[in-house]
Amino acid sequence: MSPPDADARTLARAFLEQTLSAEGNALMLEHATREEVIRGLASARRPVRAHAAGPPDRGPDPAATGPEIVTGPQIAEAPDLETLAALVASCTRCTLHESRKNPVFGEGAADARVVCVGEAPGAREDETGRPFVGRAGGLLDRLLLSIGLPRKSVYICNVLKSRPPRNRDPLPEEVAACSPYLLRQLALIEPEVIIAFGAFAARTLLETKSALGRLRGTVHRYSGYPVVATYHPAALLRNPGWIRPTWEDLQIVRRMLDGVGDRGARND
Ligand code: URA
C-alpha cells in the first residue's frame, strides 16, 4: 500500500485518535493495519515544489509535516561521513536538538589511524559546530602532538553530537539515540586505535561502570576496534597530576601505531 500523503496522514490521524481513545490498547482501524499505516507514512511523498522563481526552497515546513526521525538503518547504511553528518544535522532522535545551537558531528581525516572520542560538545563546541575547540581542546591538541599526531592527522568526535543543556551529564536515552552515529563513524574510518578521553566516553564504549583509573593503562575493544582509555583533557586542567599517567596511556597508542605490540593488551 502506498497512499498519497493526504491518505497517509488521514490514516495516521485515525490511528492516533483511536489509540488515544483506547488508552493505547487498541489498533483496529477498519481499512488498515498498524503496519500499513506505518508503511504508508514512510512511503508518503513530500510535496513537489515548482522550480519557478520565488523565495528559496527551505525544505518542508516541520510544523506542517512533523520532523522525520532518522532511522537506525539510515545511519548504518550512510555511505560516507558527509551523508552521516547530514543525518546528524537533521536528527531528532532525542530532545537535545531542541536546545543545541549547532550539531557537532566531528572532524578530521576520513582515513585517520586514530579516532579520539570525548563525551559531548560544550558551550564553545556548540557555538562553532566543531569538537574540542575550547580550553580542553587546546590541551588535547598538545597531548596528541606529544605522540607525533597533529590534530589534522586524527579524527575527533564525541559520544553525543549535541550539547546537553548546561553541560549536564548525558542521559542514557541520549546515548542510545546517538551511539549509532559513532558506530557508523568508526566503521567508515576504520581506525587502528580509538582513544576514549574521560570516564564517560570510556564507560560508554566499553559498556562498563568501572572507574577510569581501572580502565586506563591497557587496551580494550569496542566493536572490534582497540580502545585506549585515558583522562579527559578538561579533567587534566583541574588535576595536573594526571598528566603523567595520560602521557603514559598515549605512549601505548604510539607503540600500537609503530607496530610495537602492547603487552597490556586485553581482549574484552
Ligand atoms: N569536552 C568533550 O568531551 N568534547 C568536546 O568536544 C569538548 C569538550
Side-chain angles (χ1 to χ4, degrees), residues 9-87:
R9 272 192 234 111
T10 306
L11 275 179
R13 191 173 302 117
F15 159 76
L16 287 172
E17 277 166 5
Q18 193 180 77
T19 305
L20 276 177
S21 65
E23 295 181 347
N25 289 325
L27 269 177
M28 303 282 287
L29 287 182
E30 204 176 328
H31 300 299
T33 65
R34 177 180 184 278
E35 283 65 36
E36 281 169 334
V37 172
I38 292 170
R39 268 205 310 278
L41 276 176
S43 64
R45 292 181 302 275
R46 290 162 182 278
V48 177
R49 261 173 283 278
H51 289 283
D57 180 359
R58 301 191 191 287
D61 174 3
T65 60
E68 281 178 31
I69 305 241
V70 178
T71 64
Q74 273 178 298
I75 298 171
E77 288 158 22
D80 48 46
L81 290 170
E82 290 72 26
T83 308
L84 198 58
L87 291 178

Side-chain angles (χ1 to χ4, degrees), residues 110-178:
D111 59 351
R113 300 177 72 192
V114 174
V115 171
C116 303
V117 182
E119 177 174 327
R124 187 95 186 90
E125 290 74 22
D126 188 42
E127 293 281 348
T128 58
R130 298 180 56 210
F132 280 101
V133 286
R135 273 185 78 214
L139 181 52
L140 173 67
D141 293 353
R142 293 201 295 283
L143 289 169
L144 292 170
L145 263 186
S146 78
I147 52 166
L149 297 175
R151 181 177 171 110
K152 280 204 170 100
S153 70
V154 304
Y155 194 89
I156 302 177
C157 60
N158 287 297
V159 175
L160 291 194
K161 313 303 187 204
S162 303
R163 182 192 185 202
R166 296 174 306 283
N167 296 347
R168 65 151 168 74
D169 287 347
L171 303 175
E173 58 268 30
E174 293 161 357
V175 175
C178 225

Side-chain angles (χ1 to χ4, degrees), residues 230-250:
T230 195
Y231 294 105
H232 193 287
L236 298 183
L237 291 171
R238 296 189 297 269
N239 305 281
W242 292 349
I243 289 181
R244 174 80 203 184
T246 303
W247 184 81
E248 288 166 2
D249 295 333
L250 294 178

